[in-house]
Amino acid sequence: MKNALRVRRSENFADWYQEVIREADMAENSGVRGCMVIKPWGFAIWENLQQKLDRLIKETGHDNCYFPIFIPVELMEKEASHVEGFAKEMAVVTHHRLIMKDGKLVPDGELESPLVVRPTSETIIGEAMARWIKSYRDLPLKINQWANVVRWEMRTRLFLRTSEFLWQEGHTAHATQAEAMEETRLMLEVYRQVVEDRMRIPVIPGEKTPGERFPGADATHTIEAMMQDGRALQAGTSHFLGQNFSKAANISFQDKEGGVSHAYTTSWGASTRLIGALIMTHSDDDGLRLPPMMAPQHVVIVPILRDEASRDEVIQAAETLAKRLRAQRFDDEAVRVKVDLRDDSPANKRWGWIKKGVPFVVELGPRDVAAGTVALVRRDAIGEKRTLSADEFVGKVSGELGELDRKLHEDALAYRRANMIDGIASFADLVEHFETKGGTGFVTAKYSGDPAIDAKLGELGLTIRCLPHVQSGTEGKCLVTGAPATLDAIYAKAY
């Protein structure tokens, strides 16, 4: 069967990814290099993700707030390792006005102190925490903000890596190390619930190696997903910052014994990069495929308007069907339904919605109205158009949405299982797999913790994605150094 997209995954994965976004009308490049315009369909998907994540953040005891996009450079200087990690990506404001000179607008009015455009907010939020926290009674302090950040990327790709992107960043302060570490793991589990249980992207939770940690953190925990080209994508991170930032910002408090202690802090974040993960996990050569919980519309009804005589009757039947469907529930929400009355052919409408990833496209014509039936296409089986009674479809829609939801997760799990490689025993075999044979996937093998490992892997374009939280407990030899090792690690190429 001919596919809807001009590019196949197997031919050119990068071009296929861009084609899915373009044909689904999700986003486009803007006039500012490296920045994107998120179009209504793409933003509606982000809103679904945002609402589900925001609800869990609040349920775990966090409050939303907002901090400035501009950060004084003096604050950044207080945390040396943090600044070093982001220095090359920072955008900096140095002037506060423009003047006309020789017919051109040029910067004028140099700032006494430059302002960094927010790459992340640990430093400015740390300054606020130092003002707000005086006693152990003020702890824990648990806040979150939804914002945009800027990281001056050289090689950009829509959703995956842009100079400006949307995200949430949580920041907490605690009286004890144990509480902060518990918070770090709790928020990683929140990310797992959203990404795996709602977005239906299988992930592996684990801890980053020292070379892959967030700048300034004592520990970084991550969930790692496998895309359909075998590469890894970091789908969410949660950082235990120890007392590094609290000492730099002097976040201290009077403890119960009357002494003064520095707080233990955490930070954690997830971004619009998850939309890229959604695309690369579930889509096919006919376009976007959306898990129902992420779909802006669950059902789109396309009336077949062949003549004026039947037009009003068909439209009325479509609106009645839409109302009945909206009375059904899925994921504890009303089923989302749209009636497409645009002036276009039914075939163009049908394929347009298929490429957008709508779970169900329903066609309804004069004969269907007379017979009380609908013609139904489910997104994971577009070659199998079915005819059902309208009553049957209304009764089954919630169940079928659940079936599609499970199917997409099972497909993604099956792909990951097929591309998990655990038979590579030496560094030479690793080189052969990725370089000589052009292999992909996740290689699971032992890791000794030698600091030289990161540089050696970097020569192959590989990283250790994580040390999975679930460890085998067996002994073996490090895949890179050959030294005795007990830790299991995931080696892969990544986005």
Side-chain angles (χ1 to χ4, degrees):
M1 189 178 84
K2 185 178 179 181
N3 297 111
L5 301 187
R6 293 167 292 183
V7 183
R8 292 173 180 256
R9 286 166 295 180
S10 58
E11 295 169 351
N12 188 319
F13 194 82
D15 287 353
W16 165 84
Y17 172 79
Q18 300 287 358
E19 180 85 347
V20 172
I21 293 172
R22 181 168 49 251
E23 291 299 312
D25 204 28
M26 297 175 69
E28 63 185 16
N29 291 306
S30 75
V32 180
R33 184 193 172 281
C35 296
M36 64 176 169
V37 175
I38 305 176
K39 301 176 83 171
W41 191 252
F43 199 80
I45 296 169
W46 171 244
E47 285 181 313
N48 283 339
L49 189 165
Q50 183 186 43
Q51 288 163 10
K52 295 180 186 307
L53 180 53
D54 192 63
R55 183 170 66 246
L56 287 175
I57 288 171
K58 289 172 180 172
E59 286 177 358
T60 48
H62 304 82
D63 295 311
N64 283 345
C65 59
Y66 186 79
F67 284 82
I69 193 171
F70 300 121
I71 302 173
V73 72
E74 293 85 356
L75 290 184
M76 304 297 291
E77 289 172 344
K78 287 184 177 181
E79 225 306 316
S81 60
H82 183 66
V83 172
E84 184 180 359
F86 285 105
K88 294 180 180 179
E89 299 177 351
M90 288 184 187
V92 184
V93 178
T94 58
H95 292 73
H96 64 80
R97 65 172 175 260
L98 297 173
I99 62 170
M100 188 68 72
K101 188 174 182 179
D102 298 328
K104 294 182 179 180
L105 284 172
V106 296
D108 187 57
E110 187 171 353
L111 297 175
E112 289 185 14
S113 178
L115 297 171
V116 174
V117 182
R118 173 176 54 218
T120 179
S121 298
E122 276 76 11
T123 53
I124 195 166
I125 290 179
E127 181 199 35
M129 285 182 168
R131 295 194 305 270
W132 299 347
I133 296 170
K134 302 300 179 186
S135 161
Y136 69 90
R137 296 182 180 89
D138 300 321
L139 297 172
L141 177 61
K142 303 169 74 171
I143 59 175
N144 173 68
Q145 76 166 341
W146 291 93
N148 61 337
V149 294
V150 173
R151 297 180 186 173
W152 214 249
E153 297 285 356
M154 300 305 294
R155 297 187 182 121
T156 59
R157 191 179 301 182
L158 292 172
F159 290 113
L160 283 180
R161 195 172 291 278
T162 50
S163 295
E164 179 195 22
F165 54 92
L166 306 180
W167 79 345
Q168 60 72 215
E169 52 177 315
H171 300 267
T172 69
H174 305 264
T176 68
Q177 181 183 60
E179 287 179 11
M181 293 178 71
E182 182 182 0
E183 167 79 8
T184 305
R185 295 292 285 264
L186 169 67
M187 296 318 296
L188 192 76
E189 170 58 16
V190 165
Y191 289 145
R192 189 210 63 76
Q193 288 180 33
V194 171
V195 175
E196 188 152 31
D197 298 346
R198 275 76 167 181
M199 300 180 76
R200 309 311 271 151
I201 301 172
V203 295
I204 298 173
E207 184 173 352
K208 290 289 190 182
T209 61
E212 292 291 315
R213 284 176 190 157
F214 178 74
D218 279 359
T220 289
H221 294 262
T222 180
I223 49 174
E224 297 288 326
M226 184 188 292
M227 304 297 97
Q228 288 185 78
D229 62 349
R231 286 177 176 260
L233 188 139
Q234 181 177 285
T237 50
S238 186
H239 316 291
F240 170 63
L241 305 177
Q243 294 178 315
N244 299 329
F245 284 86
S246 64
K247 288 180 178 178
N250 195 26
I251 307 172
S252 57
F253 64 96
Q254 186 177 47
D255 57 33
K256 291 181 179 180
E257 288 73 37
V260 177
S261 301
H262 282 100
Y264 291 86
T265 63
T266 78
S267 67
W268 26 274
S271 75
T272 38
R273 169 176 260 222
L274 285 176
I275 305 299
L278 189 76
I279 295 165
M280 292 194 293
T281 299
H282 297 304
S283 301
D284 62 16
D285 291 338
D286 290 306
L288 187 64
R289 293 201 308 176
L290 289 172
M293 293 184 218
M294 291 295 110
Q297 303 292 343
H298 293 132
V299 181
V300 172
I301 301 170
V302 178
I304 310 299
L305 306 174
R306 292 198 173 93
D307 54 55
E308 287 300 320
S310 62
R311 180 183 176 86
D312 290 346
E313 183 183 22
V314 171
I315 291 175
Q316 181 59 48
E319 296 290 359
T320 298
L321 177 61
K323 184 177 181 180
R324 295 180 66 194
L325 289 168
R326 291 183 188 117
Q328 309 306 308
R329 308 286 292 179
F330 175 75
D331 188 34
D332 202 29
E333 296 179 6
V335 170
R336 297 186 282 273
V337 188
K338 179 180 179 64
V339 179
D340 187 351
L341 295 174
R342 292 174 299 155
D343 184 13
D344 201 352
S345 71
N348 283 346
K349 292 181 183 181
R350 179 175 70 251
W351 280 105
W353 292 114
I354 285 171
K355 288 187 284 188
K356 282 178 173 285
V358 171
F360 294 100
V361 179
V362 171
E363 292 182 329
L364 187 66
R367 292 180 182 176
D368 297 302
V369 174
T373 60
V374 297
L376 172 68
V377 173
R378 199 170 100 171
R379 182 57 185 85
D380 62 331
I382 59 176
E384 304 172 12
K385 185 183 286 190
R386 291 179 286 159
T387 299
L388 302 175
S389 75
D391 290 343
E392 183 181 7
F393 179 52
V394 170
K396 293 176 64 174
V397 66
S398 297
E400 290 229 17
L401 286 167
E403 286 179 19
L404 174 58
D405 184 71
R406 288 186 291 274
K407 177 66 163 52
L408 292 184
H409 189 235
E410 288 167 3
D411 287 351
L413 269 176
Y415 181 86
R416 192 180 75 181
R417 289 192 198 103
N419 290 276
M420 294 288 289
I421 302 126
D422 60 4
I424 292 179
S426 69
F427 186 70
D429 292 341
L430 187 72
V431 172
E432 181 181 11
H433 172 74
F434 281 104
E435 296 295 299
T436 307
K437 296 181 179 179
T440 59
F442 287 5
V443 172
T444 57
K446 294 297 180 183
Y447 165 73
S448 65
D450 190 324
I453 290 174
D454 289 333
K456 198 167 183 179
L457 290 173
E459 295 173 3
L460 302 175
L462 296 172
T463 53
I464 294 176
R465 301 314 305 159
C466 71
L467 310 175
H469 287 158
V470 178
Q471 291 278 316
S472 67
T474 61
E475 297 181 357
K477 293 184 178 180
C478 177
L479 182 60
V480 179
T481 67
T486 58
L487 286 172
D488 301 318
I490 293 174
Y491 299 75
K493 292 188 175 182
Y495 284 96

